[in-house]
Amino acid sequence: MTNLERYFGTPEAAMRMEVRMMRDGRRFKISLSECNPFTTCAFESRWVRDFGSWGEYLDWLKAEYDDGTVRWEDE
């Protein structure tokens, strides 16, 4: 499963995602957060990752999703 499939693969999953594009002078940043609708407060989001360029963001979308359970043999 790629990051694109994990975070944007269904309409329900895509509705939870917040993608912000920010520019500060010449610097550019993309910030990705996942909103949790099942909270007692009005709004809660979990930061997923920041990107410094569109290319970095697109590479991450195409990469395999890593939930932390993958272990390499040399570890």
Side-chain angles (χ1 to χ4, degrees):
M1 169 187 306
T2 65
N3 289 316
L4 177 66
E5 293 167 335
R6 164 74 168 99
Y7 292 107
F8 299 97
T10 64
E12 294 82 10
M15 283 178 28
R16 290 192 309 264
M17 301 312 297
E18 177 184 23
V19 181
R20 290 186 181 185
M21 289 145 284
M22 297 169 267
R23 180 182 286 266
D24 179 19
R26 300 187 118 248
R27 292 181 298 173
F28 174 75
K29 183 172 102 171
I30 301 168
S31 183
L32 184 66
S33 300
E34 184 174 21
C35 303
N36 183 359
F38 305 107
T39 60
T40 57
C41 63
F43 178 78
E44 179 185 67
S45 66
R46 178 182 64 88
W47 173 80
V48 176
R49 189 156 171 197
D50 287 335
F51 305 94
S53 69
W54 281 110
E56 184 182 339
Y57 176 57
L58 292 175
D59 289 343
W60 177 82
L61 285 174
K62 294 175 188 174
E64 286 293 313
Y65 169 69
D66 179 12
D67 61 359
T69 60
V70 177
R71 299 284 181 237
W72 302 107
E73 291 181 7
D74 58 345
E75 290 181 357

